[in-house]
Amino acid sequence: MSCENIANCGFFKKYQESKNLVCKGFMLQFCNGTKEAECERKKYKAAHGTPPSDDMMPNGSMIHE
Ligand code: SF4
């Protein structure tokens, strides 16, 4: 199962090729895993009507590469 938003998600598009293990782990757990319903990016979009920064990870923390 993949997140239904995967084709439009700024985080996924920006970081899908990243070698960053933290990013990769989140993508496995959330974007391509079983936790996508818990994604903080989705909650943000639902609450604000606009997507968060591309640098917000599914757990709500910002990436600092
Ligand atoms: S970061 Fe969240 S909204 Fe984006 S593809 Fe992954 S699970 Fe879906």
Side-chain angles (χ1 to χ4, degrees), residues 3-7 9-12 26-27 30-32 35-37 39-42 56-58:
C3 173
E4 74 286 353
N5 196 37
I6 206 162
C9 179
F11 166 79
F12 192 84
F26 280 126
M27 284 185 235
F30 287 82
C31 313
N32 287 309
K35 293 179 73 176
E36 48 92 5
C39 178
E40 292 295 332
R41 295 184 56 86
K42 286 189 186 179
M56 182 193 279
M57 295 185 282

Side-chain angles (χ1 to χ4, degrees), residues 5 8-12 14-15 39-62:
N5 196 37
N8 299 310
C9 179
F11 166 79
F12 192 84
K14 182 170 178 178
Y15 292 106
C39 178
E40 292 295 332
R41 295 184 56 86
K42 286 189 186 179
K43 293 178 191 172
Y44 183 103
K45 176 103 183 286
H48 296 88
T50 53
S53 161
D54 292 348
D55 298 327
M56 182 193 279
M57 295 185 282
N59 72 339
S61 299
M62 291 294 178

